[in-house]
Amino acid sequence: MNIVLMGPPGAGKGTQADLIKANYPIPHISTGDMFREAVKNETELGLKAKSFMDEGKLVPDEVTIGIVKERLAQPDCAEGFMLDGFPRTTLQAEALDQVLSDLNKKIESVINIFVPREVLLQRILGRVTCNYCKTVYNLRFLKDQQTCAKCGGELGFRSDDRGEIAKTRLEVYLEQTLPLLQYYQERHVLNSIDGNREADEVFADIKELLEKIK
Ligand code: AMP
């Protein structure tokens, strides 16, 4: 099962990725998580990515494509994978097709989660993430909860979820990533799902799709 999760920042990709992981035994490949980990550990990759991430801009294609190519060649991707946050540009999508074709594979489904723009900003600005297991919460529903309900980890804001940076990320999505929908539409693998609903309702639709390609 080779799938891509797409959608603007705040669409709920992380939450849906967790639900998919819990139901299907495929590795979750999130380029955003890989970059955040690299920044935290101050690796060479982290140093390359940090300034772009801090501004809400995309890390250059050659860097991003390189890490995904390496990751997809790992043995745990043999039976399938879920890409989350990649591809984000047409060049990345073309490179992905090439990498997969070299591995004798292809993308079977692109799940595009769409949500109205005003809801996206509300969600991003209220987003709180577990620093340990990465579960995402929203301030509106947290009430007095101070730690992660799943693992007890400390909760924190993502530095790139703040005002202007969040807006830049949305603009970058509209300019550079939205055109990819047409790319996948033309390849007959695009499935769009209304993300402006409860997470379990969104997941029910995703599950229906995934059961067909399992
Ligand atoms: P995300 O968690 O997917 O929102 O990603 C956080 C940040 O990581 C983005 O704002 C970019 O700076 C960087 N990033 C993640 N995925 C990509 C990608 N496919 N191409 C370029 N930059 C990326």
Side-chain angles (χ1 to χ4, degrees):
M1 199 162 83
N2 305 335
I3 60 174
V4 172
L5 258 188
M6 272 186 69
K13 292 193 299 296
T15 304
Q16 293 305 320
D18 284 346
L19 290 167
I20 295 171
K21 260 193 301 187
N23 284 269
Y24 301 93
I26 50 173
H28 171 210
I29 305 176
S30 156
T31 41
D33 285 350
M34 287 160 97
F35 285 135
R36 275 184 290 278
E37 194 62 24
V39 169
K40 196 173 91 190
N41 296 329
E42 297 180 350
T43 64
E44 198 181 321
L45 173 68
L47 293 177
K48 278 187 197 154
K50 188 171 185 315
S51 58
F52 298 99
M53 295 175 80
D54 285 348
E55 287 184 35
K57 301 204 171 134
L58 293 186
V59 177
D61 281 335
E62 65 274 16
V63 176
T64 312
I65 290 165
I67 61 165
V68 173
K69 186 174 175 182
E70 230 172 74
R71 183 66 189 85
L72 286 173
Q74 299 294 313
D76 64 335
C77 294
E79 300 301 321
F81 54 81
M82 161 178 35
L83 282 168
D84 165 6
F86 182 94
R88 261 170 149 108
T89 64
T90 306
L91 205 100
Q92 290 180 12
E94 288 166 353
L96 175 63
D97 283 347
Q98 186 58 54
V99 167
L100 291 177
S101 140
D102 292 346
L103 294 166
N104 243 330
K105 293 179 185 177
K106 63 180 172 55
I107 294 297
E108 289 159 289
S109 183
V110 174
I111 299 165
N112 170 46
I113 307 177
F114 62 92
V115 172
R117 194 189 154 116
E118 58 281 9
V119 178
L120 290 175
L121 265 182
Q122 269 174 20
R123 283 192 187 178
I124 301 174
L125 298 176
R127 175 155 67 182
V128 179
T129 310
C130 170
N131 290 339
Y132 184 69
C133 75
K134 310 293 174 219
T135 298
V136 177
Y137 299 91
N138 195 287
L139 272 186
R140 276 189 305 154
F141 305 114
L142 266 182
K143 299 199 177 99
D144 295 334
Q145 191 186 323
Q146 308 270 344
T147 51
C148 176
K150 269 197 195 158
C151 76
E154 185 191 24
L155 301 177
F157 288 105
R158 268 174 57 168
S159 56
D160 61 354
D161 276 348
R162 310 287 76 211
E164 284 309 307
I165 304 175
K167 282 195 192 137
T168 304
R169 288 169 60 220
L170 269 183
E171 277 156 22
V172 166
Y173 172 83
L174 294 174
E175 259 175 40
Q176 305 201 48
T177 308
L178 205 60
L180 278 187
L181 298 186
Q182 196 183 339
Y183 180 93
Y184 286 120
Q185 175 93 56
E186 285 165 6
R187 284 155 184 77
H188 309 291
V189 285
L190 183 68
N191 295 286
S192 285
I193 305 253
D194 175 5
N196 196 16
R197 296 176 290 166
E198 293 299 322
D200 54 349
E201 292 175 78
V202 179
F203 181 63
D205 284 1
I206 293 181
K207 196 163 181 208
E208 203 179 308
L209 282 172
L210 296 182
E211 287 300 311
K212 290 186 198 145
I213 57 165
K214 195 164 81 161

